[in-house]
Each structure stands twice: as structure tokens, then as C-alpha cells.
Amino acid sequence: MKGQFLRFALVGAVNTGTYYALYRLLCLWTPYLVGHVLATLLSMIGSFFMNVRFTYRTNPSWQKFVLFPLTNAANLLLTTAGVYALVSGLGMDARIAPLIAAVGAIPVTFLIARRILVPA
């Protein structure tokens, strides 16, 4: 499980970079929370395939693809609350807040993804 967590963290770093680039781009035209939600949804597809193939070394399926958003739903809820608290509550820069909020969501997202993507 340690190896999976390390691969998950690596995939997460790549996915976070993808998310952040999309977030910054979208924030040119949308409010920060809208940009956050849209960037999360767009990066979810790439995350699915990287996690299935690289992290958990299993085969993709439509069932897993349909269930995978549950991992991102947890991540989205945790990071959205974090982004809101950091920006609105603590006055943090909206360009940096999502990166900080993402760190706190990693363990929960890992456990949910493992449950969905690894056959029992």
C-alpha cells in the first residue's frame, strides 16, 4: 500500500499541475470558485486514467469510470471548503489557496480511490 500511496502522490502532483493551469486560465474569465470547480471536473478524466494504469495497476472499466467521480467529489468538497476558508476567512491569495487546500484532501481521496479502483 505504501508504493500505491507514493504513486498516488506522484499522479496527484501531475494532476494538480494540470488542475492549477486550468484553474488559472479559467479564472481569467470566471470567478475563482467557478474556475476551481470547472478545473477540478476537467482534470478528473486524466486523473482516472493515470490512477487506474499507474497507481493501482488495474484495468479501466466503465463501472470504475462512473464510480471514480466519488473520489473527486470528496476531493472537491474538501478543497472547495478549504479554498473558501483560506480566501474568504483568512484572506489568502485566490491563486495560491487551491494548492494549500489540496494537500489536506490527499489521504481521504487516496482511500476512496483505492476502494473503487482496486478489485476486492
Side-chain angles (χ1 to χ4, degrees):
M1 188 148 94
K2 182 179 179 182
Q4 284 180 344
F5 187 79
L6 293 174
R7 290 190 303 270
F8 183 81
L10 180 60
V11 166
V14 170
N15 194 52
T16 298
T18 302
Y19 155 80
Y20 191 62
L22 290 168
Y23 171 75
R24 292 295 305 271
L25 184 65
L26 289 165
C27 283
L28 295 173
W29 300 286
T30 66
Y32 74 91
L33 282 178
V34 173
H36 167 67
V37 171
L38 291 175
T40 299
L41 294 173
L42 292 171
S43 65
M44 187 184 320
I45 293 169
S47 178
F48 170 75
F49 287 106
M50 287 187 287
N51 276 299
V52 165
R53 290 294 192 186
F54 179 69
T55 303
Y56 300 107
R57 298 181 177 162
T58 186
N59 294 317
S61 70
W62 282 109
Q63 180 182 6
K64 291 175 186 175
F65 185 75
V66 169
L67 292 174
F68 188 73
L70 294 175
T71 67
N72 286 283
N75 184 283
L76 180 62
L77 290 173
L78 291 168
T79 59
T80 300
V83 167
Y84 180 78
L86 291 168
V87 173
S88 296
L90 299 177
M92 183 177 281
D93 189 321
R95 295 172 293 179
I96 297 169
L99 299 175
I100 305 301
V103 172
I106 292 171
V108 173
T109 306
F110 170 76
L111 292 173
I112 295 170
R114 188 170 194 281
R115 176 80 173 154
I116 290 171
L117 298 178
V118 176

